[in-house]
Amino acid sequence: MTLFRVPGPIGVNVSNNSGPGPEFSASLGNFQAPTTGWTGDIFPSSFSQTPSVMRKMTKTTDLVEQIDNDYADICHNMRSEAFGKLMMDYRDEAVAYTQTRTAELHRWDEQAKARTLTWFNSSDDEIRDYLLPRLGSTMRVLKSLTPDNFDYDTGENRQLSGCLPGQGMFEEGAIASVCPIDTERHRILINMKFFTIPKRGVTFGTNIFTGKDSQLQTLIHEVTHFNDVASSTDDFYSNKNALFHAKHPKARMNADSLAGYILGINI
């Protein structure tokens, strides 16, 4: 009897927050440019395996550093009105940041070129043309989100999204998960660790991002994974690691790179 190995959930922890982490490819099929319209043709005809979950991870040993004055202070109840309001606030902020970055790309001045050079090692027109449709798709999906798009990260909910169940909401290191092929519902599955990281990851009393994982960046990170947005990967976790690998060809498809760029993080 021939045995087949079923792929498990995708995700690795960064080995050291002070330097580059492991490279890990998590590409799920071919990207279809948002401007051409979504046809649902995600995988080559020869692809027959069940897709895996894409996840935002954090290093568990860094939680003491991450829990600061910006600590999430809402109840861990995703059915509550408070949680729904929190996520809608993040949605609106994420839309505003995406609009700002889109306007910057349209201006394509020295500041805009410097930012793409920092995150993607390019200030050519090609990187602008690459980013514009993906930011447009990010904004489209963000604007469509309601509290109903968020649920607990469980095996059952992953299966409903079209992905493998994995180990559920208590898996070490996971913050949130999506199934990239869930382009109709855009379900975002939340782990309990989501509630232990800063809300926006800014220096207390300012709007300056520290570069740490945050709930706001996690939302943008997860949205970019969808195949009708950017089909982003998780090759380089954390902003520091993403910036370290800015010269890597995969940087432009890396979820933390795209999310960090949209937020304008500068560390």
Side-chain angles (χ1 to χ4, degrees):
M1 177 184 296
T2 303
L3 298 178
F4 296 90
R5 182 180 296 276
V6 179
I10 293 174
V12 294
N13 285 316
V14 175
S15 60
N16 189 324
N17 198 37
S18 62
E23 296 186 9
F24 185 81
S25 178
S27 179
L28 288 177
N30 300 322
F31 174 79
Q32 180 174 357
T35 53
T36 63
W38 181 244
T39 65
D41 295 328
I42 303 164
F43 302 108
S45 58
S46 61
F47 190 92
S48 60
Q49 293 178 318
T50 305
S52 297
V53 175
M54 302 295 289
R55 294 188 183 142
K56 171 69 173 169
M57 309 288 283
T58 187
K59 183 180 176 185
T60 55
T61 55
D62 288 342
L63 288 180
V64 174
E65 296 179 8
Q66 293 174 341
I67 300 173
D68 54 19
N69 291 318
D70 200 24
Y71 177 74
D73 54 2
I74 69 167
C75 178
H76 302 177
N77 179 5
M78 280 170 247
R79 302 287 185 270
S80 70
E81 182 178 346
F83 179 79
K85 182 180 184 305
L86 178 73
M87 298 313 295
M88 294 302 94
D89 287 345
Y90 291 153
R91 176 203 62 189
D92 293 344
E93 289 182 48
V95 167
Y97 276 108
T98 307
Q99 289 174 330
T100 297
R101 210 58 59 225
T102 299
E104 186 177 85
L105 286 173
H106 281 297
R107 289 197 308 272
W108 203 227
D109 53 16
E110 292 307 310
Q111 182 183 32
K113 293 178 180 180
R115 200 183 310 277
T116 60
L117 185 65
T118 296
W119 282 99
F120 310 110
N121 193 42
S122 175
S123 57
D124 296 335
D125 290 352
E126 182 271 337
I127 190 64
R128 177 197 61 189
D129 296 341
Y130 175 88
L131 290 169
L132 276 171
R134 287 156 180 82
L135 264 61
S137 294
T138 299
M139 197 172 343
R140 168 179 54 80
V141 172
L142 282 169
K143 286 182 175 180
S144 74
L145 297 179
T146 71
D148 291 337
N149 289 90
F150 302 91
D151 209 337
Y152 294 101
D153 188 359
T154 65
E156 180 181 3
N157 283 335
R158 288 183 198 160
Q159 286 183 308
L160 290 173
S161 299
C163 281
L164 295 173
Q167 294 181 333
M169 60 192 295
F170 297 110
E171 180 170 348
E172 182 180 0
I175 300 175
S177 304
V178 302
C179 187
I181 66 171
D182 187 21
T183 56
E184 182 176 349
R185 292 281 304 277
H186 295 114
R187 282 164 283 212
I188 300 175
L189 306 181
I190 304 295
N191 278 275
M192 292 299 98
K193 197 172 293 295
F194 179 86
F195 298 98
T196 69
I197 63 175
K199 291 181 178 179
R200 294 169 180 82
V202 297
T203 302
F204 183 69
T206 75
N207 290 320
I208 300 173
F209 289 103
T210 64
K212 294 180 180 179
D213 283 328
S214 70
Q215 295 175 355
L216 174 60
Q217 184 169 0
T218 295
L219 172 60
I220 300 172
H221 173 116
E222 296 302 332
V223 167
T224 67
H225 279 320
F226 289 115
N227 284 338
D228 62 339
V229 177
S231 293
S232 67
T233 61
D234 283 327
D235 291 286
F236 314 117
Y237 278 115
S238 85
N239 291 305
K240 184 177 291 187
N241 196 29
L243 286 167
F244 182 88
H245 288 94
K247 294 182 179 180
H248 197 287
K250 293 180 179 179
R252 64 179 57 193
M253 289 188 66
N254 187 59
D256 269 342
S257 301
L258 290 167
Y261 166 75
I262 288 172
L263 290 175
I265 293 175
N266 184 19
I267 55 175

